[in-house]
């Protein structure tokens, strides 16, 4: 037992000295190549085994022949170990260089190009994360480009929509100033109509900017969707009567929701006005509400003839106006309360406002085609019991 402890002591002293040298070497090489660090670790291991074995061999007073055998065996094992470490280091370094070159393609137009050489598990996982990051960057860039395109379209459309009423207001103001207006009162009524259109456009732009900035303040309260639908139908009834469109409330369940009743009533009003203006005379606009698991779904179905499939994903985008089938008919100058699309300004803001308000309530808005028209749905979380 004493001999074993003595051997262990000599082996520990020999290996410990090599370990201290290895620790210093690793510290010095921590900013250098990983392949060099791996080779250093292997060299330290070989040196520790060799030192410990040689110290024990010396303490055991082996013969020259036996000592030579031990040293030869250690030398051969060291060569093989160091060669293996060098090959492994070269492989890791090659994989690192390939991954570095591939990382330069992250976010490029062509997308991430994975390295061709086979990689170790950790480098392969890093490559997969880089590929996922590149995909997310491409998706974000596509969204940014789509948003930028929508903003450009919105600016162009708003500029056009502003130019028309402003030109009309200028012409009518000049006619009144020159005293050539045959019916001044009618001119004043039309001027008021145009001013209200401009006011509606500014209000919608302000509302949309608040929604996109996350500054929409909600005053939540528990309310029945039956009451929300009833208020929205009452508000849209005059326009429906003027357009010759019939409003129907079909299977409106009295499900409770916790919402800002004013904002959700505005959402339903936008959808109803949009549906009424897109539905031909003698058509039907139907509203319904149902419970689906932990959600309440409110639907507005019109008779617009449907939306082209390629336009469905863009319906709720800012500035979207859609196909001619959904283009509102010209407003009556004598109806000052009437505005453009979706209860909004006519600049393609109504449905964008709808989505923004619904998403602020942790809900979602969607649209689908039905027989003879389309169905807009808003999905809201049901109130807790």
């Amino acid at each position: 037992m004493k001999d074993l402890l003595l051997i262990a002591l000599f082996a520990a002293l020999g290996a410990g000295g090599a370990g201290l040298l290895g620790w210093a070497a690793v510290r010095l090489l921590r900013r250098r190549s990983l392949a060099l660090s791996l080779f250093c670790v292997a060299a330290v291991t070989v040196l520790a085994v060799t030192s410990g074995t040689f110290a024990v061999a010396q303490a055991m007073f082996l013969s020259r022949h036996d000592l030579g055998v031990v040293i030869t065996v250690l030398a051969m094992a060291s060569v093989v170990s160091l060669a293996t470490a060098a090959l492994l280091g070269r492989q890791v370094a090659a994989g690192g260089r390939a991954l570095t070159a591939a990382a330069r393609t992250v976010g490029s137009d062509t997308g991430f190009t994975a390295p061709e050489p086979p990689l170790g598990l950790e480098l392969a996982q890093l490559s997969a994360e880089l590929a996922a990051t590149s995909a997310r960057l491409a998706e974000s860039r596509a969204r940014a480009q789509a948003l930028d395109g929508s903003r450009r379209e919105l600016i162009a459309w708003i500029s056009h929509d502003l130019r028309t009423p402003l030109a009309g207001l200028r012409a009518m103001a000049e006619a009144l100033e020159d005293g050539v207006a045959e019916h001044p009162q009618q001119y004043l009524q039309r001027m008021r109509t145009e001013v209200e259109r401009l006011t509606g456009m500014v209000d919608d732009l302000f509302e949309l900017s608040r929604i996109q900035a996350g500054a929409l303040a909600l005053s939540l309260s528990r309310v029945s969707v039956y009451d929300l639908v009833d208020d929205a139908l009452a508000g849209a009834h005059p326009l429906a009567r003027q357009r010759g469109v019939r409003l129907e409330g079909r299977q409106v369940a009295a499900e409770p929701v916790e919402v800002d009743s004013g904002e959700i009533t505005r959402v339903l009003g936008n959808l109803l006005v949009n549906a009424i203006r897109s539905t031909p005379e003698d058509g039907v606009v139907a509203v319904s509400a149902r419970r689906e698991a932990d959600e309440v779904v409110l639907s507005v179905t019109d008779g617009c003839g449907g939306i082209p499939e390629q336009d469905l994903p863009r319906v709720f985008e800012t500035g979207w106006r859609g196909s001619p089938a959904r283009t509102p008919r010209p407003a009556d100058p004598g109806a000052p309360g009437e505005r453009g699309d979706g209860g909004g300004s006519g600049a393609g803001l109504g449905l964008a406002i709808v989505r923004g308000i619904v998403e602020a309530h942790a809900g979602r808005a969607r649209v689908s085609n039905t027989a003879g028209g389309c169905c807009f749905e808003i999905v809201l979380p049901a109130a807790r019991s």
Side-chain angles (χ1 to χ4, degrees), residues 83-96:
T84 302
L87 290 176
L88 177 60
R90 288 188 59 186
Q91 181 179 343
V92 172

Side-chain angles (χ1 to χ4, degrees), residues 6 27 43 77 154 172 174 182 190 195 198 213 218 221 225 238 250 302 317 332:
L6 188 61
R27 291 275 298 176
L154 177 62
M172 287 184 284
E174 290 175 354
E182 297 181 0
R190 291 184 178 178
V195 169
L198 294 174
L218 300 177
S221 60
V225 294
R250 299 175 179 173
D302 59 33
E317 289 183 6
D332 181 4

Side-chain angles (χ1 to χ4, degrees), residues 148-179:
D148 186 55
S150 297
R151 285 175 177 171
R152 286 197 299 269
E153 292 178 358
L154 177 62
I155 292 172
W157 287 336
I158 288 179
S159 300
H160 176 271
D161 288 348
L162 284 173
R163 190 180 298 113
T164 302
L166 288 175
L169 285 171
R170 176 182 296 176
M172 287 184 284
E174 290 175 354
L176 290 173
E177 285 180 353
D178 297 339

Side-chain angles (χ1 to χ4, degrees), residues 289-355:
R290 65 185 185 276
R291 177 75 175 260
E292 290 184 357
D294 295 331
E295 298 175 328
V296 177
V297 181
L298 292 91
S299 306
V300 176
T301 306
D302 59 33
C304 68
I307 301 174
E309 291 295 328
Q310 67 271 16
D311 285 344
L312 284 176
R314 297 196 58 200
V315 165
F316 294 100
E317 289 183 6
T318 302
W320 183 84
R321 295 198 181 194
S323 61
R326 296 197 62 82
T327 301
R329 286 169 281 174
D332 181 4
E338 193 175 316
R339 295 184 293 176
D341 79 315
S345 60
L349 304 180
L351 293 178
I353 291 174
V354 165
R355 181 178 64 177

Side-chain angles (χ1 to χ4, degrees), residues 150-342:
S150 297
R151 285 175 177 171
R152 286 197 299 269
E153 292 178 358
L154 177 62
I155 292 172
W157 287 336
I158 288 179
S159 300
H160 176 271
D161 288 348
L162 284 173
R163 190 180 298 113
T164 302
L166 288 175
L169 285 171
R170 176 182 296 176
M172 287 184 284
E174 290 175 354
L176 290 173
E177 285 180 353
D178 297 339
V180 297
E182 297 181 0
H183 305 286
Q185 188 62 33
Q186 186 177 2
Y187 272 65
L188 291 174
Q189 290 178 354
R190 291 184 178 178
M191 290 176 69
R192 179 177 179 180
T193 300
E194 295 302 326
V195 169
E196 290 188 357
R197 285 181 58 192
L198 294 174
T199 302
M201 192 178 300
V202 173
D203 289 344
D204 284 348
L205 284 171
F206 179 69
E207 182 75 4
L208 188 60
S209 67
R210 285 201 307 157
I211 291 172
Q212 293 180 343
L216 182 64
L218 300 177
S219 179
L220 302 181
S221 60
R222 189 182 181 92
V223 62
S224 169
V225 294
Y226 184 89
D227 296 332
L228 294 175
V229 171
D230 187 61
D231 292 343
L233 288 174
H237 184 71
L239 178 61
R241 185 174 61 250
Q242 178 187 346
R243 299 281 185 171
V245 175
R246 188 168 72 255
L247 292 179
E248 292 184 359
R250 299 175 179 173
Q251 298 178 349
V252 180
E255 295 290 342
V257 290
E258 289 187 5
V259 297
D260 186 317
S261 57
E263 295 293 346
I264 296 300
T265 299
R266 176 175 185 175
V267 165
L268 291 174
N270 280 10
L271 294 178
L272 281 171
V273 171
N274 194 48
I276 292 169
R277 292 181 175 175
S278 304
T279 300
E281 193 172 352
D282 296 330
V284 176
V285 172
V287 184
S288 64
R290 65 185 185 276
R291 177 75 175 260
E292 290 184 357
D294 295 331
E295 298 175 328
V296 177
V297 181
L298 292 91
S299 306
V300 176
T301 306
D302 59 33
C304 68
I307 301 174
E309 291 295 328
Q310 67 271 16
D311 285 344
L312 284 176
R314 297 196 58 200
V315 165
F316 294 100
E317 289 183 6
T318 302
W320 183 84
R321 295 198 181 194
S323 61
R326 296 197 62 82
T327 301
R329 286 169 281 174
D332 181 4
E338 193 175 316
R339 295 184 293 176
D341 79 315

